[in-house]
Amino acid sequence: MESEKNNARPEVARHLLWGAVLFIAVGSSLYFAFSAVHYRWNWQGAWAYRQEFLRGLGMTLLASLAAMVLSMLFGVLFMLGRRARLVPVRLFCAGVVEVVRGTPLLVQLLVGYYVVANLFGLDRLIVGIVVLAVFEGAYLSEIFRGAVESIGASQRESARAVGFSPMQTYQHVIFPQALRRALPGTTGQLVSLIKDSSLLSVIGVEEVVQKVRSMNSAAYTSLEGYLPLAIAYLLVTLPLSWWARRLEGRFAYET
Amino acid sequence: MRLEARDVTKRFANHAALDGATFSTAGDAGVVALLGPSGGGKSTLLRVLGCLLVPDAGEVLIDGETLPHDEAGALLARRRNGFVFQGYNLFPHLSALENVALPLRCVHSMAADAAEARGVELLARLGLEGQEKKRPAEMSGGQQQRAAIARALAPRPRLLLLDEPTSALDPVMTAEVLDVVRELAEGGQQIVLATHEVSFARRVADWVIFMAAGRVEESRPAKEFFEAPGSTLAQQYLEGLSRYR
Ligand SMILES: Nc1ncnc2c1ncn2[C@@H]1O[C@H](COP(=O)(O)OP(=O)(O)O)[C@@H](O)[C@H]1O
Ligand SMILES: [Mg+2]
């Protein structure tokens, strides 16, 4: 424990150094590639839309964050449903997960918007967030299920033997151990969620990709919008991955 | 205690792990040893006695009380027993102390400080002083089994059920754990022990149940059993095990 803490600082410094080297390498190769094809930059045009860009980014973050929280909830619910003792519950949840994973998010968003939102008079943002959360939740439920099922029969039997009820077994034995095993997959899925949120534009949610598109058509730019877009996504997703790896380290009790 | 089984049957798929097991011990049996070849049904019988498994047919009585067949009743009955299996008993994400204290708090509604004090006391009694904060992976196999015994003993169980608690251990660690079991037996703890450690069983057991192929071949006072096993199966079993010790 102690030595880990002492090593943390040089570790971070080394990561930052490698990050800088990588950044310079990628940046200069992009630069040379663009000068080779004589790409004509129009950064002034893009700069004028910076506020719109930030507003779009804010919307993306808001929608993603809300969908993340909800998707974890759906993930746990679907996972529990697929392990339920009642056969109809099990079949229903398995069916939902298969349909959601087997159809494009685009179609789900459009159906959600034109049918459900119109039917109940719901806000497009709310519908978008819920559809996105169900979509990612279906994938998360499979990740959670794998993790929960990997907790062996001997642990379950020990939990029964000390007198835990089924609820207590989940709470004290299965979830804490499954959490660690589910972390890597969950992080990947949450990164996907952030990127998938760009599809919310098809139902008119003004998230950052949508903003960049309208900027491009108004200011005759293209990469001047998309490159900052890619960087903005990285600025959000990289810390998420980094944080998840730290958590994994904290839960590494098995070795 | 008096253990009784009447025609107990438990099937897995179409294989009968217990096939009409019937026996009755003396009323004052303190340590009951379950002996017999592997696959004979010892673990299954132990799980039935401890209400971890409900038999398909037949009934089991402890001191004249029939064990419940419904899950809610079985849960309550389980809480009065302590269990130790062959290995992987402990929860790997919890320290030794927390392994003992958590069930005391959550299952037996003990206050946090009382549970902790009880955990520290028991771990020390089993020779694990100073190991309280260690996770199972940081302890030896023998220490893990002793911590598991501490956890099983913590709520002062009526019955301590041990399923080959030393068969995954080397001889030194085996002796460590068996010493603990013997002390418990001498202290009056009621124990049912499935084991292949015949010479140990001979020293501590009052009663022997010899099982093979899901049936009880013999159920007799330990002294009689070891002096003159009644069935040829038991004779062969004892001879086979004592050949090299
Ligand atoms: N959970 C189970 N599923 C399927 N078969 C089992 C299960 N538990 C035990 N058995 C079978 O039941 C028989 C008796 O097993 P067991 O009670 O473990 O015997 P012992 O402890 O004497 O070695 C064995 O043939 C074993 O394969
Ligand atoms: Mg066994």
Side-chain angles (χ1 to χ4, degrees):
Chain A
M1 274 293 146
E2 286 307 305
S3 59
E4 261 171 47
K5 256 177 215 150
N6 292 339
N7 286 338
R9 233 164 259 280
E11 188 82 347
V12 169
R14 207 168 48 215
H15 284 175
L16 284 180
L17 182 70
W18 277 114
V21 169
L22 209 65
F23 181 76
I24 291 167
V26 171
S28 47
S29 27
L30 278 179
Y31 177 81
F32 286 116
F34 285 123
S35 42
V37 297
H38 303 292
Y39 190 85
R40 292 183 47 200
W41 295 101
N42 174 15
W43 287 109
Q44 284 93 341
W47 182 245
Y49 284 86
R50 61 193 180 278
Q51 272 175 355
E52 285 296 292
F53 182 88
L54 287 179
R55 212 167 290 147
L57 190 60
M59 177 58 85
T60 292
L61 288 180
L62 172 80
S64 298
L65 205 66
M68 269 186 207
V69 174
L70 261 185
S71 69
M72 305 250 226
L73 207 74
F74 282 127
V76 172
L77 281 182
F78 289 148
M79 181 272 287
L80 289 177
R82 293 195 71 170
R83 298 177 50 80
R85 209 167 301 171
L86 288 174
V87 178
V89 174
R90 217 157 59 208
L91 286 180
F92 174 77
C93 287
V96 170
V97 168
E98 288 310 327
V99 168
V100 167
R101 293 201 313 161
T103 56
L105 176 57
L106 180 69
V107 175
Q108 294 168 23
L109 282 167
L110 291 174
V111 170
Y113 181 59
Y114 287 115
V115 181
V116 183
N118 282 342
L119 217 58
F120 299 101
L122 290 174
D123 183 63
R124 61 182 81 206
L125 180 60
I126 305 276
V127 172
I129 287 173
V130 172
V131 171
L132 185 59
V134 170
F135 181 78
E136 307 291 342
Y139 284 90
L140 283 177
S141 76
E142 288 296 288
I143 294 170
F144 294 166
R145 194 164 67 101
V148 162
E149 283 173 3
S150 76
I151 308 300
S154 61
Q155 283 291 301
R156 290 166 206 277
E157 184 155 59
S158 282
R160 270 159 56 78
V162 298
F164 283 149
S165 65
M167 277 285 280
Q168 289 173 324
T169 301
Y170 266 107
Q171 185 189 346
H172 299 298
V173 179
I174 296 179
F175 276 145
Q177 295 184 64
L179 183 67
R180 173 169 174 270
R181 299 187 192 184
L183 256 177
T186 303
T187 322
Q189 202 57 47
L190 294 184
V191 169
S192 293
L193 182 152
I194 295 176
K195 293 189 291 180
D196 290 344
S197 72
S198 65
L199 269 180
L200 293 182
S201 59
V202 299
I203 59 169
V205 174
E206 302 240 297
E207 47 72 58
V208 68
V209 177
Q210 178 63 20
K211 292 289 191 190
V212 168
R213 275 205 206 104
S214 28
M215 174 188 88
N216 282 344
S217 52
Y220 304 107
T221 53
S222 69
L223 288 171
E224 297 83 344
Y226 288 129
L227 283 182
L229 182 66
I231 292 171
Y233 272 106
L234 276 178
L235 283 180
V236 179
T237 54
L238 283 183
L240 183 65
S241 308
W242 178 77
W243 177 70
R245 258 201 309 281
R246 294 237 351 208
L247 270 187
E248 276 170 49
R250 180 122 55 88
F251 289 138
Y253 46 78
E254 266 157 329
T255 45
Chain B
M1 88 206 124
R2 182 193 295 280
L3 300 181
E4 269 180 273
R6 296 178 187 154
D7 249 329
V8 176
T9 300
K10 178 74 198 176
R11 303 185 153 276
F12 294 108
N14 48 18
H15 172 82
L18 291 178
D19 188 11
T22 302
F23 64 84
S24 172
T25 70
D28 59 352
V31 177
V32 175
L34 291 183
L35 303 180
S38 291
K42 302 184 296 295
S43 298
T44 307
L45 178 62
L46 212 54
R47 281 168 172 76
V48 169
L49 285 172
C51 290
L52 280 170
L53 267 184
V54 174
D56 301 328
E59 52 177 9
V60 177
L61 297 88
I62 297 182
D63 287 332
E65 215 180 296
T66 308
L67 295 184
H69 281 196
D70 62 303
E71 181 49 35
L75 178 63
L76 291 180
R78 278 204 291 279
R79 290 177 171 175
R80 293 197 288 159
N81 298 327
F83 256 102
V84 178
F85 306 105
Q86 194 169 333
Y88 306 110
N89 286 283
L90 299 174
F91 303 127
H93 58 299
L94 301 177
S95 68
L97 180 57
E98 196 51 17
N99 260 285
V100 180
L102 178 69
L104 289 179
R105 295 198 307 268
C106 298
V107 175
H108 304 279
S109 330
M110 210 183 252
D113 46 353
E116 187 168 324
R118 175 90 177 131
V120 170
E121 173 208 322
L122 267 170
L123 288 174
R125 207 170 109 203
L126 298 196
L128 293 170
E129 210 164 5
Q131 318 281 316
E132 294 89 353
K133 294 276 168 287
K134 286 198 179 160
R135 294 246 169 87
E138 300 169 294
M139 300 192 288
S140 74
Q143 290 175 327
Q144 289 179 31
Q145 285 304 69
R146 282 183 283 146
I149 294 176
R151 182 176 72 187
L153 285 174
R156 305 179 203 280
R158 176 171 69 167
L159 252 187
L160 181 62
L161 300 133
L162 306 171
D163 190 2
E164 301 192 30
T166 60
S167 50
L169 302 179
D170 69 29
V172 175
M173 294 195 266
T174 296
E176 255 170 43
V177 172
L178 292 183
D179 280 343
V180 164
V181 176
R182 184 174 45 81
E183 275 167 34
L184 291 173
E186 287 165 2
Q189 172 70 50
Q190 300 193 320
I191 295 174
V192 183
L193 167 72
T195 189
H196 292 296
E197 299 286 341
V198 179
S199 48
F200 179 74
R202 191 170 192 152
R203 265 181 75 177
V204 301
D206 318 308
W207 196 274
V208 169
I209 295 169
F210 183 84
M211 303 188 68
R215 304 185 133 273
V216 173
E217 296 290 327
E218 292 190 51
S219 166
R220 300 164 62 196
K223 209 159 178 288
E224 283 179 27
F225 176 84
F226 286 112
E227 271 164 19
S231 61
T232 45
L233 258 175
Q235 268 166 26
Q236 285 166 356
Y237 175 77
L238 288 180
E239 275 166 21
L241 277 185
S242 53
R243 193 170 307 144
Y244 295 112
R245 6 189 131 186

